[in-house]
Amino acid sequence: MSLLAEHETEHPPETPLENTAPTGPTVEVFGIRHHGPGSARSLVAALDAYNPDCVLVEGPPDADALLRFVGDEDLVPPVALLAYAPEEPRVASFWPFAGFSPEWQAIRWARRHDVEVGFCDLPASATLAPRERTLLDEADDAPDDETADAEDDVDGPSAVDLLLSGPAATGPDAAARRRLASRDPLAALAQAGGYDDAERWWEDVVEGRLDGSSPFPLVLEAMGELRRLVGQRRGRHAENEARREAYMRQTIRAALKRGRTRVAVVCGAWHAPVLTAPLGPAAPDARLLRGLPKRKVVCTWVPWTHRRLAAASGYGAGITSPGWYAHLFEAPDVPVTRWLTAVAGELRTRDLPVSSASVIEAVRLAETLATLRGRPLAGLSEVTDATRAVLCDGDELALRYVTERLVVGERLGDVPASVPTVPLEADLVATTRRLRLKREPAARALDLDLRRGIDRERSQLFHRLRLLDLGWAQPATSDVQATGTFRETWRLAWQPELAVSVVEAAVWGTTVESAATARVESVVAGQSLVELARTVERCLLAALPDALARLLEACADQAARDADVEHLMEALPALARAARYGDVRGTDTGALRQTAEVLVRRTCAGLGRATTGLDDESAVRVRDLVDAVHAAVGLLAQEGDGDVRREWLATLRGLADRRDLAPLLQGRLTRLLVDAELVDDAPARLHRALSYGSPAATKAAWVEGFFTDGAVLLVHDPALRTLLDGWVSSLADAEFVDVLPLVRRTFGTFSPAQRRSLAQRLAHGDPVPASAAADRLTALAGPALATVETILAAGRHD
C-alpha cells in the first residue's frame, strides 16, 4: 500500500472538512507536480469547490501583466514566459506551460471566473540578476559523493532511513537510493510506497485516481513529514529556495492585506508545507529578502514545444512523456483505447500494416498487464509493452518512431500577435505569414524554385536570417534530381530557444531586412578578403542592395592591398558565384563582375610565383585552389567575356611545361588544358611523365593530378589506358606497394559505373564499333536471307 493510500485510510475523503465555516480569511495551498495532468484535473475540481477570490501561482510576478492573454483563443499551449535582460538578451529564462500544466489550468480557471490571479515566486529581475560567487556556491559545487559521505557520518539513523525503513532501504544500492531520495522528494515517497520508479508512483497515486477525491491534503501532509525528516538543506540552492519561499509568503500576506478572504496558492508540492497558515511573522522573511540583487527585465509569451518539456532536453522540471500526459488530460475517458488507436494511425502513415484487430488485441494486453502489475489503470509502460509486442511486432525502430512522434511529441504552441514583443519578432511573424511559412518543431525540407516570386522571397528571408545567426532554416540537399541555379533546398526546424536569438538580433533593426543590413555593415571592418567575398555572396543571396554596395567597395579596396595570390584565389569563387547568381535574381552585378575580373588577372600575374617550391601538402592545396578558380572563370565566361578565360588558359599553358613544377600540379594543369582542347598530345605527355628515371612517387603524383575525376578519358582513349596499364604492370613489388595508396586515391574519384566500364575495357578490349558490328551481322545472316528470298519468290511464282 502506498503512503498516500495509508493516509486515505486514516482520513477518509468524506470527512466534512470543507463544511467547517471559516472565521476569517483562509489560505488554501495546493501542492502540485509541474506538468502533471492528474494534478491539473484535480486542481480544477478543488478550485471549483474552494471558490477562491484570489489565485496565486508559482511564477515570476514581473509577468503578471501578461496573464490577461490567457484565455485568448490565439494563445495556444505549450507556451512559455520568456524573461530577458534588454541590455544583454542572452541572459534569459523560460517558464514553460503545457495545456495539462496545473499552473496553466489555475490561471485559466481564474480568468474564466474573473478572479484576481498573479504570480508569487521570486521575480525574474532577481533570478536573472548577476551575483558574486560566495562560499555557498563552493558548497553547491562539492561532489555528490562527498556530500553523501558527510550525511552518512551523522550519528544515528538518517531522515531518509527513518522514512525508508523496511525492505526498500536494504540491498547493495541502498546508499545510492538514499542519496537519490535526499535530492528528489518524489523518489523518497515512491520508495516508501514500495516503488522503484517515482514516475510510476505518481502516475498511480495521483494521475490515475478514479475516486474523484482531492489528493492535495494528503500530498501536503506527506511533504510536510518529508521536509521535517530531511531537515535543512545547505548551499546556494538552499539559500535561493529559502528566498523563494519567503517571497511567496510575502505575496500571500499582501493578498490578505488587500482584503482577499479566500486565497488559493498553486505551487510545487515541496513548497506547500511552508506556505500554509499560520504564516508566522513577516520580519524574518523581510530580512531574508532585503538587499536582493535586481536588474531590468522584459517579459513576453513565446511558443514552446512538447519536446522541450521533456526531461531529456535538460529541462529541470521536465517529464519523460509530454505527449502521453497531454493525451491523458485531453482524453480522460478510455485513454488506452484512444491512445493505441492513435499509435496505429501513426504507424500506418509509415506504411506499416496495423489492423483494427491488432488494436483490440493491444488494448486487451495493456489492460491485462496493468492487472497483473497491480496498477489501477494501464500506464505508459503497459501501453508501450503492448505497442512493442502487438503493433510493432517487436521492431524497436518502429517503437522509437512512436516514442518520438507521440510519447514525446512535436506539438508547437502559438502566441497571438497582440502579445508585446520586440519589433523584429513582429516583422518576422508578419513576413512568415505573408510567405505562407509555418513555424514547426519537426524538421522538414522545402524546395524552392527561384523563378517563382514567392519562393524567391522565401529564399531571401532565409538568407537574411542566416546573416542574423537565426538558424531556423539551413541549406540542405534535395532528393529531387534537378540542375540549374534556380533551385534551392532548405531544412526548416523552429526551436523555442530561437526566441532569444530573435531578441538578440533585434539590436540591429526593427525589420529583418534592416537588421540584416546593419549586421553586414557592422562586420565589414577588419574582415579578410576571403571573408568579404563570402559575405558578398551571402549579401547578394539575401537581396540587401545597401549593404552590398559598401561590401563591394571594401572588397575592391582589400583586393588592391592584398598581395597574397592564395587569398585572391580563395576569394574569387565566391565572387564569381555571386556574379552568376545575379542572372537568376535579376540583380545588377556589374561592379561585382569587374571586381572578379580584376582578381582573375591578378591571379594570373602571380600564379607562377605561388607555384614555385611547393612541398606535397602545399601542392595539394594549390591544386584545389586552381580547380576552384578554373570553375569560377568558367562561370564568368558564360556571360560572353572570353578575354578572362583566354588569359587564364594562357597562364596555365605557360606553367604546364615548367620542369620545376610539382608533379601533382603539372598533371592537373595538363588535364585542364586537355579539357579545353588546347593540348592534343596527352599520350605523349603521359609517356614522358611515366618514363624511366623518375621516382615511382613522382609518377603517381602526376597520374593523380591528371586522372582525378578523369574516368571518361581512360574509358574512351585506348592510348592513355594502355600507357597507364603498362606503367602499373612494370612496377616492381616495392614500388607498387609505395604508389598503391596514391593510385587508389585517384581511382576512388571514379563512380562505380565508371570503374566497371574501365575494368571491362581492360579485360576485353574496346567494343566493336556499331557500323562494323552491323556489317558483320549482315554477312553472317546472308545465306539465311538468300534462302528466305528463294522461298518467297517460289511462292509468288505459284
Side-chain angles (χ1 to χ4, degrees):
M1 181 179 290
S2 70
L3 184 64
L4 293 190
E6 294 175 0
H7 281 287
E8 288 176 345
T9 303
E10 299 172 6
H11 304 285
E14 60 269 14
T15 301
L17 299 177
E18 65 275 10
N19 295 331
T20 302
T23 58
T26 61
V27 177
E28 192 73 21
V29 181
F30 301 97
I32 51 90
R33 185 196 180 187
H34 301 296
H35 315 306
S39 291
R41 193 176 297 111
S42 298
L43 178 62
V44 172
L47 290 175
D48 285 336
Y50 182 55
N51 193 25
D53 58 3
C54 178
V55 177
L56 300 177
V57 180
E58 184 177 325
D62 323 64
D64 280 353
L66 296 174
L67 294 179
R68 60 188 175 91
F69 293 101
V70 177
D72 189 318
E73 61 181 9
D74 294 328
L75 184 62
V76 182
V79 292
L81 284 171
L82 166 62
Y84 63 91
E87 74 281 359
E88 193 177 357
R90 189 165 291 275
V91 178
S93 186
F94 294 97
W95 284 262
F97 298 89
F100 51 83
S101 299
E103 301 94 330
W104 180 262
Q105 290 301 320
I107 298 171
R108 283 184 58 86
W109 186 94
R111 295 284 298 161
R112 190 166 55 248
H113 292 81
D114 197 22
V115 170
E116 177 187 341
V117 60
F119 290 118
C120 61
D121 202 349
L122 207 61
S125 59
T127 57
L128 298 182
R131 298 173 182 266
E132 295 183 0
R133 188 174 180 83
T134 66
L135 293 176
L136 292 176
D137 296 299
E138 297 177 5
D140 277 342
D141 292 341
D144 292 340
D145 292 339
E146 296 178 10
T147 305
D149 293 340
E151 293 174 354
D152 290 342
D153 290 340
V154 178
D155 293 336
S158 69
V160 178
D161 285 331
L162 293 174
L163 183 68
L164 304 181
S165 58
T170 62
D173 59 343
R177 291 203 305 272
R178 284 196 299 269
R179 289 196 295 271
L180 173 62
S182 65
R183 292 194 299 268
D184 188 351
L186 287 184
L189 292 175
Q191 291 178 8
Y195 285 74
D196 58 359
D197 185 353
E199 290 278 344
R200 179 175 293 187
W201 174 81
W202 186 266
E203 191 170 316
D204 285 354
V205 174
V206 178
E207 308 301 340
R209 295 177 69 86
L210 299 176
D211 58 4
S213 61
S214 173
F216 299 111
L218 305 176
V219 170
L220 178 63
E221 185 175 352
M223 286 297 174
E225 185 67 10
L226 185 61
R227 287 186 68 123
R228 184 184 67 80
L229 293 174
V230 171
Q232 183 65 35
R233 296 182 178 182
R234 298 171 297 173
R236 169 67 70 183
H237 176 75
E239 180 191 23
N240 184 65
E241 188 175 274
R243 284 178 169 171
R244 291 179 60 195
E245 292 170 349
Y247 197 93
M248 292 180 189
R249 287 191 291 268
Q250 293 287 64
T251 306
I252 296 172
R253 294 186 183 102
L256 296 174
K257 192 174 182 179
R258 290 196 303 272
R260 300 296 177 252
T261 59
R262 302 176 66 82
V263 179
V265 181
V266 180
C267 63
W270 177 258
H271 305 294
V274 298
L275 303 182
T276 56
L279 296 176
D285 291 340
R287 285 195 299 269
L288 187 60
L289 296 172
R290 187 177 299 124
L292 199 65
K294 293 183 180 180
R295 79 185 308 162
K296 183 180 179 181
V297 297
V298 176
C299 297
T300 186
W301 287 111
V302 296
W304 204 250
T305 66
H306 275 177
R307 184 168 297 278
R308 281 294 184 268
L309 283 171
S313 68
Y315 173 39
I319 51 180
T320 58
S321 50
W324 167 253
Y325 273 13
H327 173 76
L328 288 181
F329 186 77
E330 296 167 0
D333 56 324
V334 290
V336 175
T337 303
R338 292 177 182 270
W339 175 263
L340 291 173
T341 302
V343 170
E346 197 66 41
L347 290 174
R348 287 167 185 153
T349 63
R350 304 285 290 184
D351 296 329
L352 296 175
V354 180
S355 65
S356 300
S358 296
V359 176
I360 296 173
E361 185 63 26
V363 172
R364 289 173 177 171
L365 177 58
E367 293 175 345
T368 301
L369 288 173
T371 302
L372 292 174
R373 295 170 181 175
R375 306 193 65 183
L377 285 176
L380 180 60
S381 59
E382 284 74 32
V383 296
T384 299
D385 290 342
T387 299
R388 178 189 290 109
V390 180
L391 302 184
C392 296
D393 292 327
D395 187 350
E396 292 295 331
L397 184 61
L399 182 64
R400 190 180 309 121
Y401 173 76
V402 171
T403 300
E404 293 177 354
R405 295 285 297 177
L406 292 180
V407 177
V408 176
E410 292 289 356
R411 185 180 299 183
L412 177 68
D414 197 13
V415 175
S418 56
V419 171
T421 184
V422 292
L424 180 62
E425 167 68 9
D427 179 70
L428 178 58
V429 169
T431 303
T432 55
R433 185 179 295 113
R434 178 174 58 84
L435 298 179
R436 298 198 294 275
L437 293 170
K438 187 176 181 181
R439 299 182 183 182
E440 297 173 323
R444 70 181 184 94
L446 180 63
D447 289 315
L448 302 181
D449 186 342
L450 301 181
R451 295 170 297 186
R452 299 175 59 216
I454 187 171
D455 280 357
R456 186 161 56 248
E457 290 189 63
R458 288 172 174 173
S459 174
Q460 291 170 356
L461 173 64
F462 296 155
H463 284 290
R464 290 170 181 175
L465 294 179
R466 292 192 69 210
L467 287 170
L468 292 171
D469 294 330
L470 293 175
W472 175 27
Q474 297 292 340
T477 302
S478 175
D479 295 332
V480 180
Q481 297 295 328
T483 58
T485 57
F486 59 83
R487 182 175 296 276
E488 283 184 355
T489 301
W490 295 83
R491 180 181 178 274
L492 277 64
W494 182 268
Q495 300 300 331
E497 57 267 23
L498 290 176
V500 177
S501 300
V502 172
V503 175
E504 289 182 313
V507 300
W508 299 108
T510 57
T511 65
V512 175
E513 181 178 4
S514 63
T517 299
R519 179 68 186 276
V520 169
E521 292 177 348
S522 70
V523 299
V524 169
Q527 281 195 327
S528 67
L529 178 60
V530 177
E531 293 170 338
L532 285 172
R534 292 171 181 167
T535 307
V536 165
E537 183 180 18
R538 297 178 64 186
C539 189
L540 188 62
L541 296 174
L544 302 174
D546 295 338
L548 181 62
R550 184 176 177 186
L551 268 176
L552 289 178
E553 294 178 3
C555 196
D557 294 341
Q558 187 67 23
R561 293 194 299 267
D562 199 331
D564 192 320
V565 177
E566 291 189 12
H567 289 174
L568 301 177
M569 297 173 74
E570 284 185 74
L572 181 59
L575 293 179
R577 288 193 301 268
R580 184 72 183 90
Y581 188 79
D583 297 334
V584 180
R585 298 293 181 113
T587 306
D588 183 11
T589 57
L592 183 59
R593 187 175 303 281
Q594 292 178 3
T595 303
E597 292 173 359
V598 170
L599 291 185
V600 173
R601 293 189 171 90
R602 292 194 59 196
T603 299
C604 292
L607 188 59
R609 183 175 66 256
T611 55
T612 302
L614 299 177
D615 58 16
D616 292 342
E617 184 177 350
S618 300
V620 172
R621 185 178 67 254
V622 173
R623 186 272 310 270
D624 294 340
L625 289 175
V626 167
D627 283 346
V629 172
H630 188 75
V633 170
L635 288 177
L636 295 175
Q638 290 181 11
E639 298 305 307
D641 188 358
D643 293 341
V644 172
R645 185 170 185 272
R646 283 191 292 272
E647 186 175 348
W648 168 250
L649 293 176
T651 302
L652 299 184
R653 191 166 190 174
L655 293 175
D657 295 326
R658 270 180 36 185
R659 305 182 66 86
D660 62 337
L661 199 65
L664 179 69
L665 281 175
Q666 197 171 50
R668 193 60 183 170
L669 296 185
T670 302
R671 165 69 186 285
L672 295 179
L673 293 172
V674 169
D675 291 344
E677 299 181 351
L678 295 179
V679 169
D680 53 6
D681 58 343
R685 288 173 180 261
L686 178 61
H687 185 271
R688 287 198 302 270
L690 302 180
S691 61
Y692 292 101
S694 299
T698 300
K699 299 174 184 177
W702 199 99
V703 168
E704 180 183 1
F706 186 86
F707 285 108
T708 296
D709 299 323
V712 176
L713 289 174
L714 282 175
V715 170
H716 296 289
D717 194 325
L720 290 177
R721 189 169 64 249
T722 301
L723 285 172
L724 186 61
D725 185 43
W727 169 65
V728 174
S729 301
S730 66
L731 290 173
D733 292 345
E735 289 180 324
F736 181 79
V737 172
D738 291 338
V739 304
L740 180 60
L742 297 176
V743 176
R744 284 177 62 88
R745 185 167 64 190
T746 302
F747 281 78
T749 62
F750 300 170
S751 68
Q754 291 172 335
R755 289 198 293 269
R756 285 195 300 269
S757 178
L758 183 59
Q760 291 174 357
R761 299 294 178 95
L762 290 172
H764 306 294
D766 292 330
V768 178
S771 57
D775 294 341
R776 185 177 179 183
L777 289 174
T778 301
L780 291 174
L785 292 175
T787 302
V788 171
E789 179 63 26
T790 301
I791 294 173
L792 292 176
R796 289 194 298 271
H797 182 69
D798 293 340

